[in-house]
Amino acid sequence: MARRPRYQPALSIVTGASSGIGAAFARALAARGSDLVLVARREDRLLALARELEQPHGIRCTVAPLDLSRPGAGAALLAVLDSRLDGRVPDLLVNNAGFGVQGRVADTDPARLAEEVAVDVAAVVELSRTFVAPMIARGSGAILNIASTAAYQPVPGMAVYAASKSFVKLFTEALWFEARPHGVTVFAVAPGAVASEFFDRGRRIPAPTPYWDPARIADAGLRALDRRRTPPEVMPGLANRAAAFSTRFIPRRVLLFFAARLTATLLAVL
């Protein structure tokens, strides 16, 4: 039986591309011959990544140093495409940008929490809305949103992060249903613990499953696209799937205590 050809987008947008899962997606997509729009705040890192990828893979990288915590990210990104890429509609949008603040809500700077919601929730909605419309009009395209196994339970000590990923999960499922009849693929990749700079101030917390290399997450997402018919959520790793599935059968209070212990904040929260 012949193998299905790999998904090879001509143009991909990757947010949060300066490190971690975003950089891993950029490298994997470059290896597939996709031109890239690299989005993050740290322009120096984006330029370094662009230099790393362009010549070896014969692609074009467009660097877009944007702060996704500010309103208007979709319009700003459209302006980049219009001015530097002749208004090309991307074949793939990877909504990866995000971060997690650790600590009690009552002890956290309100501005920092607002920024977390803006990046992890509002920017996902804004960018998805910005690009799903032209994809539907064209009759093709894909949007991949990065969720998390944290979406399956409340997490004291990372309350906003877990809630934001639950939002991303449910938003993606609904958008999957809406876009599917029009030839547009929408799905979420829900990794467990990932070895990256993701967490606020780079602190790594205990996790119920092993930390994964970001490249494995990117590979799982692209392999899902290779299958052409993706479910609304892809969760890499049997241990991650088992842990997420088990939350359906554990009383909420027990989940709260367990999650609090994992974030090493139980004594502070009680």
Side-chain angles (χ1 to χ4, degrees):
M1 184 175 178
R3 292 185 62 183
R4 190 183 297 274
R6 295 198 309 170
Y7 180 73
Q8 293 183 287
L11 176 64
S12 303
I13 298 174
V14 182
T15 71
S18 58
S19 65
I21 294 174
F25 266 105
R27 292 185 175 102
L29 287 164
R32 294 183 178 218
S34 177
D35 288 341
L36 296 169
V37 178
L38 305 174
V39 183
R41 289 183 299 180
R42 294 176 289 189
E43 185 176 15
D44 57 335
R45 290 201 178 190
L46 296 180
L47 290 171
L49 183 60
R51 288 192 296 269
E52 173 193 331
L53 298 178
E54 282 186 319
Q55 186 172 353
H57 299 291
I59 64 165
R60 176 182 178 183
C61 290
T62 300
V63 168
L66 299 175
D67 184 351
L68 297 182
S69 69
R70 298 181 178 180
L77 200 45
L78 274 180
V80 171
L81 295 177
D82 289 341
S83 64
R84 299 171 62 184
L85 293 170
D86 298 321
R88 289 174 65 183
V89 176
D91 301 285
L92 172 64
L93 166 65
V94 180
N95 271 318
N96 163 73
F99 67 95
V101 173
Q102 295 164 268
R104 297 196 313 174
V105 171
D107 298 331
T108 305
D109 180 0
R112 189 62 170 157
L113 294 179
E115 184 181 12
E116 186 178 15
V117 172
V119 175
D120 293 5
V121 175
V124 172
V125 174
E126 184 175 357
L127 293 181
S128 296
R129 170 59 183 87
T130 296
F131 293 105
V132 74
M135 287 179 179
I136 286 174
R138 185 181 58 191
S140 66
I143 296 175
L144 189 164
N145 295 328
I146 299 298
S148 171
T149 55
Y152 287 83
Q153 66 282 306
V155 182
M158 294 188 68
V160 173
Y161 172 70
S164 72
K165 290 306 178 182
S166 182
F167 176 93
V168 170
K169 168 181 160 55
L170 296 178
F171 169 73
T172 302
E173 289 175 358
L175 190 58
W176 171 86
F177 188 88
E178 293 176 1
R180 190 182 182 194
H182 305 284
V184 178
T185 299
V186 180
F187 69 107
V189 174
V194 179
S196 71
E197 300 176 8
F198 167 78
F199 286 107
D200 191 45
R201 293 182 295 278
R203 294 183 297 177
R204 183 178 292 192
I205 64 172
T209 57
Y211 274 76
W212 279 41
D213 186 288
R216 294 180 65 190
I217 306 302
D219 180 64
L222 294 182
R223 281 192 287 107
L225 282 170
D226 290 340
R227 295 192 290 270
R228 297 302 193 272
R229 292 181 63 85
T230 65
E233 182 181 67
V234 172
M235 187 177 293
L238 179 60
N240 289 326
R241 292 193 293 273
F245 184 75
S246 68
T247 62
R248 303 180 185 185
F249 308 102
I250 301 173
R252 221 59 176 169
R253 281 191 175 186
V254 175
L255 272 178
L256 281 164
F257 278 96
F258 181 65
R261 285 188 182 278
L262 285 178
T263 54
T265 58
L266 180 60
L267 294 178
V269 170
L270 291 179

